[in-house]
Amino acid sequence: MNVIWRNSVSCLRIRKVPHRYQSGNHPAAPLGSRILTDPAKVFEHNMWDHMQWSKEEEAAARKRVEENSAVRVLLEEQVKYENEASQYWDTFYKIHKNKFFKDRNWLLREFPEIIPVDQKTEEKTQESSWDNVKTGAANCFSRMHCPIMPEEKNLGMKRCGSSDGPSRARSHFSNLDSEEHSEGPLKTELFPGSRATFRILEVGCGAGNSVFPILNTLQNAPESFLYCCDFASGAVELVKLHSSYRAAQCCAFVHDVCDEDSPYPFPDGILDVILLVFVLSSIHPDRMQGVINRLSKLLKPGGMLLFRDYGRYDKTQLRFKRGHCLSENFYVRGDGTRAYFFTKGEVHTMFCKAGLDEKQNLVDRRLQVNRKKQVKMHRVWVQGKFQKPLHLTQKPSKLVSPLLSHG
C-alpha cells in the first residue's frame, strides 16, 4: 500500500509539469524523502536522505583525505594508468560481466528529461481524476513516461550564475531542429537514428545498467532513439548481446570521449539529452573540460546534459589507502580504474565554460548503514542539469592545461 501511495504522489508531481523538460518544477526534496529525525532509529533503514554533516564530521573527512593523499603514485605509473585506461576497464568487464552494478532504475525519477513527453498526452493526463490516479497508481509511472506518440511526425532562463531555474518549453525546439536540417545532410545522409525525433546519448554505458531501464521505458515511443558508447569494447559487446538490446532503437558503439578527433556515428547538434553518470570521475582531470566541450557540440539548442558523479568526501574517497592518490582528489583503485571526487563549484565551472546554462547543481548527501555490522557510511554525490541555450553568445572555452607527458 505504501508503494502505491508513493507512486501516486510521484505521478501527481509529474503531471503538474507542463513542459517537455521537467527540471523547472523539481520538488524541494528531489533526491529522496526518508529523513532521519531520531538518531536512535538510524539502523531501521539502509539509507537516509538529505543528511547534514556536523563540523566535526567534515573536519574528520578532510583529515582523512589529507592522510590518504600524502603519498602520490609515481609519475611513470600515472602515465601507464592514463595510456591503458581502456584496458583496465576491459579487464573489469571481463571479470564482472554485467553483475557488478545494479540497474539504475532511479534514473527516470531523478532525470525525467530522459523521456519525451507529448504535449497532448500531458494535457489529457492532467484532466485525470484523483480516483483514476489511485486506481492506476501501480502502473502510473510507465504510462506517464511511455506515451504513445502520433505516427506522423516530421523527421526532423537562468544563465550560469543560477541553479534550479525554470526550463524553457521544449515543443518548439524539436520543430526548430527539423527546420534547421530539413535541407541539410540529415535529409539525404542516413545514420543510426536519423528518422528519430528524440535522441539520447549515454556516455560510458558500461554493461548497460542505464541503457536497459531506458530502453524498457522507450519501447512504446518508437520516435525515440538511444545511443550509448564506452571505450571498453568488452562492455559494448555485453550491451549488444543483452536480450533486451534492440538495434532498431539503440546504437551501441566503442568510443573514447577523450579523443576529440574520433567521430560519432551521427552529426553534431542533434541530441536532445546526454547522460553523463559516474563517468567523468574516471577521466583525468586535465581532460575533463575538453570532454564536456565536445559533448556540448552534440546537443541541439535547448538540449540537456544530465550529470551525476562522486562528491568530495564520499565514503569511497575516504576508504582509499596511502599510495593510491594520483593527484588532488584523484585516485586509482587496485584494479587500475580511477576516480575523481567533485565539488559543486568545480561542476558549475566546467559546464558553464562549455557554454551550457545551469538548471540544477546540488550536493546529494546520504547516510548509508550496514544494519548487520552496525556501520554508518556517508555517501556524497553531485547532481546537475545543464542546458544548451537557444542562441550561443560565445564559443566554449578551450582546455589549456596540459595532460601528463606521454614521453
Side-chain angles (χ1 to χ4, degrees):
M1 187 63 187
N2 289 337
V3 173
I4 295 177
W5 169 254
R6 285 197 298 270
N7 287 341
S8 301
V9 173
S10 175
C11 289
L12 283 177
R13 286 177 175 172
I14 292 171
R15 292 176 182 189
K16 291 179 181 178
V17 183
H19 303 311
R20 188 175 185 182
Y21 278 158
Q22 300 163 352
S23 300
N25 291 347
H26 222 289
L31 302 168
S33 56
R34 182 175 289 157
I35 309 300
L36 178 62
T37 56
D38 183 358
K41 297 181 178 180
V42 65
F43 293 107
E44 289 189 3
H45 296 285
N46 293 327
M47 188 82 75
W48 297 95
D49 305 312
H50 307 289
M51 294 299 299
Q52 298 299 317
W53 286 30
S54 67
K55 291 182 179 180
E56 292 76 16
E57 288 172 326
E58 188 164 352
R62 187 182 300 109
K63 182 180 179 181
R64 174 58 185 159
V65 168
E66 290 173 356
E67 292 173 350
N68 69 17
S69 60
V71 178
R72 302 292 174 92
V73 175
L74 295 176
L75 184 60
E76 51 267 34
E77 292 184 25
Q78 294 194 39
V79 172
K80 178 183 177 182
Y81 290 129
E82 173 66 23
N83 292 341
E84 301 178 8
S86 63
Q87 298 177 32
Y88 286 114
W89 279 107
D90 250 333
T91 301
F92 175 90
Y93 286 110
K94 285 179 181 178
I95 295 172
H96 299 288
K97 306 292 183 185
N98 59 355
K99 308 296 183 183
F100 191 84
F101 300 111
K102 296 180 179 179
D103 282 352
R104 294 168 176 160
N105 295 309
W106 53 266
L107 276 175
L108 303 180
R109 181 178 67 251
E110 301 301 337
F111 298 131
E113 295 85 356
I114 294 171
I115 307 303
V117 180
D118 182 77
Q119 190 66 33
K120 292 182 180 179
T121 303
E122 280 190 313
E123 292 171 356
K124 289 180 181 179
T125 55
Q126 287 173 356
E127 297 171 358
S128 298
S129 67
W130 170 245
D131 289 337
N132 289 336
V133 172
K134 289 192 291 185
T135 303
N139 59 6
C140 174
F141 188 84
S142 61
R143 287 205 317 274
M144 281 301 302
H145 292 289
C146 298
I148 299 177
M149 307 290 278
E151 294 182 2
E152 295 183 5
K153 286 275 187 182
N154 293 331
L155 297 181
M157 225 20 38
K158 288 184 182 178
R159 300 297 296 177
C160 273
S162 60
S163 62
D164 289 322
S167 295
R168 309 284 294 268
R170 293 283 298 150
S171 56
H172 105 225
F173 291 164
S174 294
N175 293 334
L176 182 149
D177 180 62
S178 298
E179 294 169 5
E180 180 181 356
H181 296 289
S182 59
E183 297 180 359
L186 289 183
K187 185 174 181 181
T188 56
E189 298 179 11
L190 296 181
F191 56 90
S194 58
R195 290 185 172 86
T197 59
F198 189 84
R199 304 181 185 93
I200 306 167
L201 167 66
E202 187 197 3
V203 178
C205 63
N209 301 95
S210 297
V211 170
F212 298 110
I214 295 173
L215 274 181
N216 182 56
T217 306
L218 294 180
Q219 61 185 339
N220 293 328
E223 79 294 341
S224 301
F225 197 87
L226 174 63
Y227 305 97
C228 57
C229 66
D230 202 289
F231 72 165
S233 57
V236 174
E237 190 65 20
L238 287 172
V239 171
K240 290 183 174 181
L241 292 175
H242 196 283
S243 59
S244 298
Y245 182 76
R246 301 190 302 275
Q249 203 173 16
C250 183
C251 173
F253 57 99
V254 177
H255 186 85
D256 183 356
V257 292
C258 292
D259 184 355
E260 296 184 22
D261 297 323
S262 178
Y264 287 85
F266 49 81
D268 287 355
I270 69 159
L271 295 179
D272 293 272
V273 175
I274 294 176
L275 196 62
L276 192 64
V277 176
F278 293 103
V279 175
L280 199 62
S281 57
S282 66
I283 295 172
H284 193 285
D286 287 348
R287 288 183 178 266
M288 290 179 184
Q289 189 66 61
V291 168
I292 299 171
N293 290 349
R294 180 67 186 99
L295 292 177
S296 71
K297 295 178 182 179
L298 302 177
L299 288 169
K300 63 171 64 171
M304 296 283 286
L305 196 155
L306 308 175
F307 171 83
R308 187 172 173 87
D309 219 316
Y310 294 113
R312 190 70 46 84
Y313 304 146
D314 177 69
K315 66 121 176 175
T316 306
Q317 181 178 16
L318 304 185
R319 283 184 168 182
F320 277 107
K321 297 179 180 180
R322 282 193 176 199
H324 286 263
C325 185
L326 299 165
S327 60
E328 192 171 358
N329 301 300
F330 191 44
Y331 300 80
V332 62
R333 303 181 181 93
D335 60 4
T337 62
R338 301 170 299 176
Y340 185 84
F341 298 86
F342 297 93
T343 65
K344 178 181 174 180
E346 289 172 340
V347 171
H348 168 88
T349 299
M350 286 190 295
F351 286 96
C352 288
K353 277 186 176 180
L356 302 178
D357 290 346
E358 180 181 289
K359 298 300 176 181
Q360 182 191 74
N361 186 13
L362 51 84
V363 178
D364 180 11
R365 297 180 185 272
R366 307 197 188 192
L367 183 65
Q368 184 178 9
V369 303
N370 185 319
R371 289 187 277 181
K372 184 177 181 180
K373 297 182 179 180
Q374 299 284 289
V375 174
K376 294 182 288 185
M377 300 162 285
H378 284 284
R379 303 310 313 265
V380 185
W381 299 296
V382 179
Q383 179 169 303
K385 302 180 182 185
F386 301 88
Q387 189 172 41
K388 188 171 185 176
L390 270 176
H391 303 289
L392 289 176
T393 57
Q394 60 182 6
K395 295 182 180 180
S397 303
K398 291 186 178 180
L399 181 65
V400 294
S401 104
L403 185 63
L404 292 170
S405 171
H406 290 274

